[in-house]
Amino acid sequence: MTEALSRLPKMDRVLDAAALATTPWRREVVRRVAEGMLAALRDAIRRGAGAPTVVPDAEQFAVQVAARLEALCGPHPRAVINATGVLLHTNLGRAPWSDAAIAAATTAARACDLEVELDSGQRGSRFAWTRPLLAAVIGAPDVHVVNNNAAGLLLACTVLGSPGGVALSRGQMVEIGDGFRVATMAAAGGCRIVAVGSTNRTHAADYEAALAPGPDGSASAILWVHLSNFEQHGYVAEVALPELAAIARAHGVPLVADLGSGSLGTGLPAREPTIASYLEHGADVVLASGDKLLGGPQAGIVAGTREVVERMRRHPMARALRPDKVTLAALHATAASHAGREPPPLPLHRMVAWTLDELRTRAAAVADALGLEADAVQACDATIGGGSLPGDRMPSIAVRLPAGGRASALARRLRTGEIAVVGRIEDEAVWLDLRTVDPRDDARLVAAARTALR
Ligand SMILES: *Cc1c(COP(=O)(O)O)cnc(C)c1O
């Protein structure tokens, strides 16, 4: 091991090596990257103590450093074709933006009238246009916008849960994904979580007890969480939102509803609860994501009564959670798309609207271009994803790429090709679900699949 460690290339030799001499990067940047790689190499030698470790010489190592810098500086994130059949795929960036949202964001990226009223020349609000438009398309008295739904939850609990904390059913202490737990997030700003009920059954009396004066005081708000990605069956009981709203009113505390998915109802399966329906059921404030069923950029929509939304807007934490101009521009364009008479002309809503016949025609053309048999066109299930109702599947059509028993290798070739494609592995084949593919990408999908299949 010590022998291998002593053979590690010396930094000065690496930096002066031919492979790095003609590259465009600053010497200090190259050095820091090389140091990180050397440290990793040293760790590998120590971990594999005794095992023969290939130690590169200075020239070989310099080639590796140059490749690493090339990869680091290359454009990221990279475009991918989402052929997974998951409409809102969190790892693929959730809702794709509309062309209008992209154009608005590009405009906002340069100097823009973010916080100036062009008419008067006075200082204005960055929410001046988005706020009334969102309120109108959502059907809410007032709206505020933060970075994401988690930020909305943090702000709501910090502002409204003071001083007594928020009452939250044990049946709604959900984990949403990537270790994100609603109760943990709600408490992150110092808000106390008053757990009520049991995992499977929570009753009105449990909330009443949390709101009654006790040794720790009484909860200052009620938090209701939409069970976005799972369902409970069997011996279960929850207090319905209208009943919970009556309890909140009787105790003079606000009811916060974390909806997540944030449907506006237009052009989506009717089973998805809308923000407005939660407000109608008596929630004082509803929290939703901008990049789920709303079909826009990552943002946290805070929709509710003027009084409650104003309290949240005025809190110092709101400044730390405020969205940037590019997001606001894309969100504004997305909201405008929801104002029309027709179903919103958004990519998400188009994905939902494709008929099976349309998808089958496209799939047949893709399969034909790839020289596959007709049985490559297969019926399958797409899912909405992104915290919409669990099991919310919609019939779809996929092109099934035969992989000769090596599906994960084929899937990897698809992901790492010049045109990156993410599909789904099933039955030892790679399935390319056409519902989540923009038809403008069909030709590129064919090109990518052709290369990967070779
Ligand atoms: C998705 C989701 C969140 C998190 O939303 P982000 O916008 O990703 O922060 C919170 N609560 C619920 C119920 C959700 O579905």
Side-chain angles (χ1 to χ4, degrees):
M1 181 178 86
T2 10
E3 188 273 331
L5 285 175
S6 71
R7 276 191 291 124
L8 280 175
K10 300 285 171 287
M11 185 56 72
D12 285 342
R13 300 264 318 276
V14 173
L15 295 179
D16 293 331
L20 283 166
T22 58
T23 57
W25 303 295
R26 278 197 287 135
R27 196 174 166 93
E28 306 89 271
V29 175
V30 176
R31 179 196 297 278
R32 288 175 201 132
V33 170
E35 274 166 358
M37 293 173 66
L38 264 184
L41 208 52
R42 220 173 277 126
D43 278 354
I45 292 172
R46 291 212 179 94
R47 265 200 316 276
T53 309
V54 184
V55 179
D57 65 22
E59 271 302 335
Q60 289 165 333
F61 189 65
V63 170
Q64 294 171 14
V65 173
R68 173 76 183 143
L69 275 156
E70 193 86 51
L72 274 177
C73 294
H76 295 289
R78 286 188 57 200
V80 307
I81 295 178
N82 174 9
T84 60
V86 180
L87 277 63
L88 296 170
H89 199 304
T90 297
N91 298 354
L92 302 183
R94 290 201 187 147
W97 295 9
S98 64
D99 290 347
I102 293 169
T106 306
T107 299
R110 306 199 172 91
C112 63
D113 64 343
L114 182 67
E115 291 185 349
V116 64
E117 284 174 11
L118 292 179
D119 199 28
S120 64
Q122 302 284 309
R123 163 106 208 243
S125 159
R126 66 176 55 210
F127 302 109
W129 296 101
T130 309
R131 182 179 163 194
L133 180 60
L134 271 175
V137 297
I138 290 172
D142 199 359
V143 171
H144 184 57
V145 181
V146 288
N147 278 328
N148 55 18
N149 194 8
L153 188 63
L154 176 66
L155 185 61
C157 291
T158 306
V159 175
L160 307 173
S162 172
V166 297
L168 171 63
S169 166
R170 289 192 171 85
Q172 296 176 352
M173 294 193 170
V174 297
E175 178 169 312
I176 281 150
D178 198 24
F180 171 87
R181 290 176 177 167
V182 167
T184 312
M185 195 67 224
C191 170
R192 192 164 73 101
I193 303 295
V194 184
V196 302
S198 64
T199 305
N200 57 328
R201 292 174 71 82
T202 299
H203 308 283
D206 297 318
Y207 287 103
E208 296 277 3
L211 295 168
D216 297 331
S218 59
S220 302
I222 298 176
L223 174 60
W224 160 278
V225 180
H226 173 55
L227 301 186
S228 38
N229 50 5
F230 82 111
E231 272 168 345
Q232 280 196 332
H233 297 280
Y235 189 55
V236 295
E238 274 289 351
V239 182
L241 206 54
E243 194 187 343
L244 203 52
I247 295 171
R249 262 196 307 281
H251 289 268
V253 301
L255 172 59
V256 180
D258 179 17
L259 170 56
S261 51
S263 168
L264 301 191
T266 37
L268 292 174
R271 303 198 303 129
E272 299 296 338
T274 61
I275 298 174
S277 74
Y278 272 35
L279 291 171
E280 277 154 26
H281 287 151
D284 293 283
V285 62
V286 179
L287 312 173
S289 296
D291 52 358
K292 291 182 179 172
L293 296 179
L294 207 72
Q298 177 188 306
I301 310 294
V302 176
T305 65
R306 280 194 187 80
E307 191 254 317
V308 167
V309 173
E310 187 63 15
R311 276 177 70 193
M312 290 176 63
R313 193 189 344 264
R314 294 268 158 247
H315 192 276
M317 191 184 268
R319 170 62 189 242
L321 305 177
R322 75 175 185 178
D324 78 299
K325 60 180 183 173
V326 170
T327 298
L328 275 176
L331 184 62
H332 180 270
T334 305
S337 293
H338 281 283
R341 287 178 194 272
E342 302 294 323
L346 295 169
L348 172 72
H349 295 71
R350 272 202 296 272
M351 288 181 200
V352 170
W354 290 116
T355 66
L356 286 180
D357 279 344
E358 287 166 331
L359 293 176
R360 203 173 281 116
T361 304
R362 287 172 53 202
V366 169
D368 188 51
L370 292 172
L372 299 173
E373 304 289 324
D375 69 354
V377 176
Q378 295 268 347
C380 65
D381 276 337
T383 52
I384 294 185
S388 49
L389 287 177
D392 211 347
R393 300 181 162 272
M394 39 195 343
S396 189
I397 301 290
V399 176
R400 184 179 179 280
L401 302 182
R406 305 203 54 217
S408 60
L410 176 59
R412 181 168 188 282
R413 284 202 300 282
L414 282 161
R415 286 197 310 273
T416 54
E418 199 167 326
I419 300 164
V421 176
V422 184
R424 196 169 68 221
I425 296 179
E426 223 175 279
D427 297 341
E428 289 165 25
V430 177
W431 295 57
L432 304 178
D433 191 321
L434 272 286
R435 190 176 283 285
T436 49
V437 177
D438 186 327
R440 291 178 295 186
D441 283 335
D442 281 2
R444 292 179 349 109
L445 182 72
V446 167
R450 190 177 284 141
T451 307
L453 284 169
R454 259 208 300 267

